[in-house]
Protein backbone atom coordinates (compact mmCIF):
# COMPACT_ATOMS: atom_id res chain seq x y z
CA UNK A 1 0.00 0.00 0.00
CA UNK A 2 1.38 3.42 -0.96
CA UNK A 3 2.27 5.80 1.85
CA UNK A 4 1.01 8.71 -0.25
CA UNK A 5 -2.76 9.32 -0.70
CA UNK A 6 -4.10 8.94 -4.20
CA UNK A 7 -5.38 11.89 -6.20
CA UNK A 8 -9.02 11.13 -5.48
CA UNK A 9 -8.43 11.25 -1.73
CA UNK A 10 -6.62 14.57 -2.02
CA UNK A 11 -9.45 16.06 -4.09
CA UNK A 12 -12.05 15.02 -1.52
CA UNK A 13 -9.93 16.35 1.36
CA UNK A 14 -9.47 19.75 -0.32
CA UNK A 15 -13.15 19.94 -1.18
CA UNK A 16 -14.11 19.18 2.42
CA UNK A 17 -11.74 21.85 3.77
CA UNK A 18 -13.16 24.42 1.35
CA UNK A 19 -16.73 23.69 2.46
CA UNK A 20 -15.71 24.02 6.09
CA UNK A 21 -14.06 27.42 5.50
CA UNK A 22 -17.05 28.69 3.56
CA UNK A 23 -19.34 27.55 6.34
CA UNK A 24 -17.35 29.45 8.95
CA UNK A 25 -17.36 32.59 6.77
CA UNK A 26 -21.11 32.44 6.33
CA UNK A 27 -21.68 32.01 10.05
CA UNK A 28 -19.51 35.00 11.02
CA UNK A 29 -21.61 38.22 11.28
CA UNK A 30 -20.57 41.22 9.16
CA UNK A 31 -19.70 44.23 11.31
CA UNK A 32 -20.01 47.57 9.52
CA UNK A 33 -17.79 50.50 10.44
CA UNK A 34 -20.73 52.65 11.48
CA UNK A 35 -22.00 49.95 13.84
CA UNK A 36 -18.69 49.96 15.71
CA UNK A 37 -19.17 53.66 16.54
CA UNK A 38 -22.54 53.27 18.28
CA UNK A 39 -23.02 52.87 22.02
CA UNK A 40 -25.94 50.49 21.82
CA UNK A 41 -28.40 53.22 22.82
CA UNK A 42 -31.52 54.46 21.06
CA UNK A 43 -32.43 53.68 17.48
CA UNK A 44 -32.21 55.19 14.01
CA UNK A 45 -34.77 57.98 13.52
CA UNK A 46 -37.59 57.18 11.14
CA UNK A 47 -38.19 59.22 7.98
CA UNK A 48 -41.31 60.70 9.58
CA UNK A 49 -39.37 61.82 12.67
CA UNK A 50 -36.65 63.44 10.59
CA UNK A 51 -39.26 65.20 8.46
CA UNK A 52 -40.94 66.61 11.59
CA UNK A 53 -37.68 68.28 12.64
CA UNK A 54 -36.47 69.28 9.19
CA UNK A 55 -38.67 72.35 8.77
CA UNK A 56 -36.17 75.21 8.47
CA UNK A 57 -36.52 77.57 5.51
CA UNK A 58 -33.48 79.26 3.94
CA UNK A 59 -33.24 82.64 2.17
CA UNK A 60 -33.01 80.92 -1.21
CA UNK A 61 -36.35 79.21 -0.58
CA UNK A 62 -34.92 75.80 0.22
CA UNK A 63 -37.14 74.05 2.74
CA UNK A 64 -40.36 75.81 1.78
CA UNK A 65 -43.34 73.46 1.76
CA UNK A 66 -45.70 73.39 -1.19
CA UNK A 67 -48.52 75.86 -0.57
CA UNK A 68 -49.95 79.28 -1.26
CA UNK A 69 -51.90 82.12 0.32
CA UNK A 70 -52.70 85.80 0.06
CA UNK A 71 -53.12 88.76 2.39
CA UNK A 72 -56.91 88.77 2.09
CA UNK A 73 -57.04 85.30 3.62
CA UNK A 74 -54.23 86.13 6.00
CA UNK A 75 -56.16 89.04 7.50
CA UNK A 76 -58.85 86.73 8.89
CA UNK A 77 -56.27 84.25 10.22
CA UNK A 78 -54.24 87.07 11.77
CA UNK A 79 -57.31 88.50 13.50
CA UNK A 80 -58.22 85.11 14.95
CA UNK A 81 -54.80 83.85 16.00
CA UNK A 82 -52.31 86.74 16.11
CA UNK A 83 -54.04 90.06 16.77
CA UNK A 84 -54.49 89.47 20.49
CA UNK A 85 -50.73 90.04 20.87
CA UNK A 86 -49.69 91.85 17.71
CA UNK A 87 -52.75 94.06 17.11
CA UNK A 88 -55.19 94.00 14.21
CA UNK A 89 -52.70 95.75 11.91
CA UNK A 90 -49.49 94.23 13.29
CA UNK A 91 -48.88 97.38 15.35
CA UNK A 92 -48.31 95.43 18.57
CA UNK A 93 -50.26 95.30 21.82
CA UNK A 94 -48.69 96.49 25.07
CA UNK A 95 -45.15 95.04 25.12
CA UNK A 96 -45.76 92.39 22.48
CA UNK A 97 -43.61 92.82 19.34
CA UNK A 98 -44.54 95.37 16.70
CA UNK A 99 -44.45 93.67 13.30
CA UNK A 100 -45.17 96.59 10.97
CA UNK A 101 -43.95 100.15 10.52
CA UNK A 102 -40.67 101.68 11.59
CA UNK A 103 -39.37 102.26 8.08
CA UNK A 104 -36.47 104.75 8.01
CA UNK A 105 -36.08 104.73 11.80
CA UNK A 106 -32.99 102.54 12.09
CA UNK A 107 -30.60 105.51 12.10
CA UNK A 108 -32.62 107.39 14.70
CA UNK A 109 -32.06 107.36 18.45
CA UNK A 110 -35.20 105.26 18.84
CA UNK A 111 -35.15 102.65 16.03
CA UNK A 112 -38.26 100.55 15.52
CA UNK A 113 -37.17 97.12 14.34
CA UNK A 114 -40.03 95.40 12.57
CA UNK A 115 -40.39 92.84 9.79
CA UNK A 116 -40.62 95.66 7.28
CA UNK A 117 -37.96 97.97 8.65
CA UNK A 118 -35.27 95.55 9.80
CA UNK A 119 -35.59 91.88 8.83
CA UNK A 120 -33.35 91.04 5.84
CA UNK A 121 -34.98 87.85 4.55
CA UNK A 122 -38.59 86.81 4.12
CA UNK A 123 -37.63 83.21 4.85
CA UNK A 124 -37.08 84.19 8.49
CA UNK A 125 -40.69 85.35 8.72
CA UNK A 126 -42.05 82.12 7.32
CA UNK A 127 -39.71 79.93 9.36
CA UNK A 128 -40.45 81.70 12.64
CA UNK A 129 -44.22 81.67 12.21
CA UNK A 130 -44.30 78.06 11.05
CA UNK A 131 -41.99 76.90 13.84
CA UNK A 132 -43.11 78.99 16.81
CA UNK A 133 -46.49 80.62 16.31
CA UNK A 134 -49.17 81.12 17.53
CA UNK A 135 -47.74 81.67 20.98
CA UNK A 136 -48.61 78.69 23.16
CA UNK A 137 -49.91 76.68 20.23
CA UNK A 138 -46.89 76.36 17.97
CA UNK A 139 -46.81 74.26 14.81
CA UNK A 140 -50.56 74.06 14.47
CA UNK A 141 -50.68 76.25 11.36
CA UNK A 142 -50.84 74.62 7.95
CA UNK A 143 -48.50 75.81 5.19
CA UNK A 144 -51.29 77.66 3.34
CA UNK A 145 -52.15 79.53 6.54
CA UNK A 146 -48.53 80.53 7.06
CA UNK A 147 -48.21 81.78 3.47
CA UNK A 148 -51.36 83.85 4.01
CA UNK A 149 -50.07 85.30 7.29
CA UNK A 150 -46.72 86.19 5.76
CA UNK A 151 -48.52 87.89 2.87
CA UNK A 152 -50.65 89.89 5.33
CA UNK A 153 -47.56 91.05 7.24
CA UNK A 154 -45.98 92.10 3.94
CA UNK A 155 -49.10 94.09 3.10
CA UNK A 156 -49.04 95.84 6.48
CA UNK A 157 -45.43 96.81 5.80
CA UNK A 158 -46.18 98.08 2.27
CA UNK A 159 -43.81 95.51 0.80
CA UNK A 160 -46.69 94.32 -1.38
CA UNK A 161 -49.71 96.41 -2.34
CA UNK A 162 -52.18 93.80 -3.61
CA UNK A 163 -54.05 91.75 -1.03
CA UNK A 164 -54.71 89.17 -3.74
CA UNK A 165 -51.04 88.62 -4.52
CA UNK A 166 -50.44 84.88 -4.30
CA UNK A 167 -47.46 84.12 -2.10
CA UNK A 168 -46.33 80.54 -2.64
CA UNK A 169 -43.26 78.35 -2.71
CA UNK A 170 -42.91 79.41 -6.35
CA UNK A 171 -43.22 83.19 -5.88
CA UNK A 172 -41.58 83.44 -2.46
CA UNK A 173 -38.07 84.36 -3.57
CA UNK A 174 -39.39 87.18 -5.78
CA UNK A 175 -39.96 89.24 -2.63
CA UNK A 176 -36.99 91.33 -1.50
CA UNK A 177 -37.06 92.88 1.95
CA UNK A 178 -36.33 96.63 2.24
CA UNK A 179 -33.38 96.23 4.60
CA UNK A 180 -31.68 93.26 2.95
CA UNK A 181 -28.85 95.31 1.42
CA UNK A 182 -27.81 96.61 4.85
CA UNK A 183 -26.82 93.14 6.05
CA UNK A 184 -23.40 91.78 5.14
CA UNK A 185 -21.74 88.39 5.50
CA UNK A 186 -19.34 88.30 8.43
CA UNK A 187 -16.35 86.29 7.24
CA UNK A 188 -14.31 86.86 10.38
CA UNK A 189 -12.93 84.13 12.59
CA UNK A 190 -14.05 84.45 16.19
CA UNK A 191 -11.50 87.06 17.24
CA UNK A 192 -10.56 88.82 13.99
CA UNK A 193 -11.45 92.40 13.15
CA UNK A 194 -13.55 93.78 10.32
CA UNK A 195 -11.80 94.45 7.06
CA UNK A 196 -11.20 98.07 6.13
CA UNK A 197 -13.87 99.56 3.94
CA UNK A 198 -16.64 97.27 5.16
CA UNK A 199 -20.15 98.80 5.48
CA UNK A 200 -21.21 100.07 8.90
CA UNK A 201 -17.86 101.81 9.40
CA UNK A 202 -19.06 105.14 7.99
CA UNK A 203 -20.53 108.00 10.05
CA UNK A 204 -20.05 106.07 13.27
CA UNK A 205 -20.29 107.90 16.58
CA UNK A 206 -16.92 108.95 17.95
CA UNK A 207 -18.10 108.63 21.54
CA UNK A 208 -21.05 107.36 23.50
CA UNK A 209 -22.89 109.51 26.01
CA UNK A 210 -25.51 108.51 28.55
CA UNK A 211 -28.61 110.57 27.86
CA UNK A 212 -31.08 108.91 30.23
CA UNK A 213 -30.95 107.11 33.53
CA UNK A 214 -32.87 104.07 34.72
CA UNK A 215 -34.80 105.72 37.52
CA UNK A 216 -37.40 103.00 38.06
CA UNK A 217 -35.11 100.00 37.71
CA UNK A 218 -32.46 101.75 39.79
CA UNK A 219 -29.50 100.27 37.89
CA UNK A 220 -27.66 103.48 37.02
CA UNK A 221 -24.55 104.07 39.19
CA UNK A 222 -25.32 106.34 42.15
CA UNK A 223 -22.28 108.60 42.21
CA UNK A 224 -18.73 108.04 43.34
CA UNK A 225 -16.10 106.72 40.99
CA UNK A 226 -18.67 104.76 38.96
CA UNK A 227 -20.80 107.80 38.07
CA UNK A 228 -20.62 109.02 34.44
CA UNK A 229 -18.93 112.42 34.30
CA UNK A 230 -21.14 115.33 33.37
CA UNK A 231 -24.37 113.38 33.82
CA UNK A 232 -26.81 113.90 36.65
CA UNK A 233 -27.67 110.62 38.32
CA UNK A 234 -30.97 110.19 40.14
Amino acid sequence: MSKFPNRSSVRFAIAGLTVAILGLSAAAPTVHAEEKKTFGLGRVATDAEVKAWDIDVRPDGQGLPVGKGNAAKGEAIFAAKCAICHGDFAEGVDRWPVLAGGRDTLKSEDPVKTVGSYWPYLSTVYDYIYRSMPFGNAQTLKPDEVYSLVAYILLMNDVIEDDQFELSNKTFTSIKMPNEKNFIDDERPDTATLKKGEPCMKDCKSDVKITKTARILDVTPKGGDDAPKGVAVD
Side-chain angles (χ1 to χ4, degrees):
M1 184 176 180
S2 174
K3 61 181 180 180
F4 298 106
N6 58 36
R7 294 182 179 180
S8 297
S9 300
V10 173
R11 278 202 304 268
F12 283 118
I14 293 174
L17 180 60
T18 302
V19 171
I21 293 173
L22 290 175
L24 290 174
S25 299
T30 302
V31 180
H32 299 287
E34 58 268 21
E35 292 177 349
K36 293 180 179 179
K37 297 178 182 179
T38 63
F39 296 94
L41 300 175
R43 57 174 174 76
V44 177
T46 65
D47 291 342
E49 290 169 336
V50 172
K51 185 178 180 180
W53 281 98
D54 187 18
I55 60 174
D56 63 298
V57 178
R58 303 180 187 180
D60 62 359
Q62 184 174 345
L64 281 169
V66 175
K68 60 184 179 180
N70 59 45
K73 296 178 181 178
E75 182 177 10
I77 301 171
F78 194 92
K81 300 186 177 184
C82 313
I84 189 171
C85 295
H86 297 291
D88 290 330
F89 306 104
E91 75 278 13
V93 175
D94 296 329
R95 299 299 298 171
W96 292 98
V98 178
L99 302 181
R103 191 78 67 88
D104 300 325
T105 68
L106 298 185
K107 293 183 179 180
S108 69
E109 293 186 359
D110 188 21
V112 180
K113 296 182 178 181
T114 71
V115 171
S117 70
Y118 182 72
W119 292 28
Y121 302 116
L122 189 58
S123 57
T124 308
V125 185
Y126 189 101
D127 184 86
Y128 191 84
I129 294 174
Y130 189 57
R131 185 186 302 275
S132 306
M133 294 288 112
F135 181 72
N137 203 18
Q139 297 188 24
T140 59
L141 296 170
K142 298 178 180 179
D144 285 1
E145 292 179 303
V146 180
Y147 279 114
S148 297
L149 286 172
V150 174
Y152 180 71
I153 293 173
L154 290 176
L155 184 69
M156 292 299 97
N157 281 283
D158 297 321
V159 177
I160 62 173
E161 298 179 355
D162 184 4
D163 65 357
Q164 297 298 321
F165 171 76
E166 187 177 271
L167 184 67
S168 68
N169 55 298
K170 296 181 179 180
T171 64
F172 199 87
T173 56
S174 67
I175 303 297
K176 299 299 180 183
M177 302 302 286
N179 198 43
E180 178 179 349
K181 64 181 181 180
N182 292 321
F183 279 77
I184 60 172
D185 292 332
D186 188 350
E187 300 177 351
R188 296 175 296 172
D190 292 342
T191 57
T193 58
L194 282 171
K195 298 177 182 178
K196 292 183 179 180
E198 289 281 7
C200 304
M201 299 302 292
K202 181 180 179 182
D203 299 328
C204 295
K205 293 182 178 180
S206 58
D207 58 349
V208 178
K209 296 180 179 179
I210 297 176
T211 59
K212 295 182 180 179
T213 59
R215 300 180 182 181
I216 298 177
L217 296 179
D218 195 27
V219 295
T220 302
K222 292 181 176 299
D225 295 336
D226 294 332
K229 295 180 179 181
V231 178
V233 179
D234 295 329

